[in-house]
Amino acid sequence: QVQLVESGGGLVQAGGSLRLSCAASGRTFSNSAMGWFRQAPGKEREFVAAISWNSGSTYYADSVEGRFTISRDNAKNAVYLQMNSLKPEDTAVYYCAASLGSLASRSYYTQRRMYAYWGQGTQVTVSS
């Protein structure tokens, strides 16, 4: 059974930092694109960041560019999201996602439908 399990969420003050982790099990994702999405109350799930199978390419939503950094460790079958300079508008449930394979371009990385596996999410709350 394939599982993605997120951890590292919590409550932080504006300007603070958090590091999210996503541990995968049940299959290797070393050849797959992986990403992070988030969903705030009353809003649709939105793209945050993604990384190619070999870490050669990373993509970010405009709203987090320069503040968030995505990385992965294929040996550990894991992906991470370092979040700095957090803002109240970053408050959301953050989801880890994995595709079935590599993706061709940014437009694919940002689309939810390109990811076959999803975690249950971890809550991030940023207080002002």
Side-chain angles (χ1 to χ4, degrees), residues 15-88:
S17 299
L18 284 174
R19 185 180 190 238
L20 304 184
S21 299
C22 173
S25 61
R27 64 159 282 177
T28 179
F29 289 102
S30 59
N31 294 320
S32 298
M34 298 192 75
W36 288 94
F37 289 73
R38 67 187 181 187
Q39 187 167 18
K43 295 187 177 181
E44 291 191 357
R45 193 171 299 188
E46 64 175 4
F47 169 76
V48 175
I51 188 167
S52 62
W53 68 274
N54 63 351
S55 302
S57 297
T58 56
Y59 305 93
Y60 298 93
D62 291 343
S63 59
V64 308
E65 181 83 53
R67 300 187 297 121
F68 291 10
T69 302
I70 188 171
S71 61
R72 66 188 297 166
D73 185 338
N74 286 342
K76 295 183 178 179
N77 218 20
V79 65
Y80 309 97
L81 186 68
Q82 177 66 42
M83 305 186 296
N84 298 330
S85 302
L86 282 161
K87 303 175 181 180

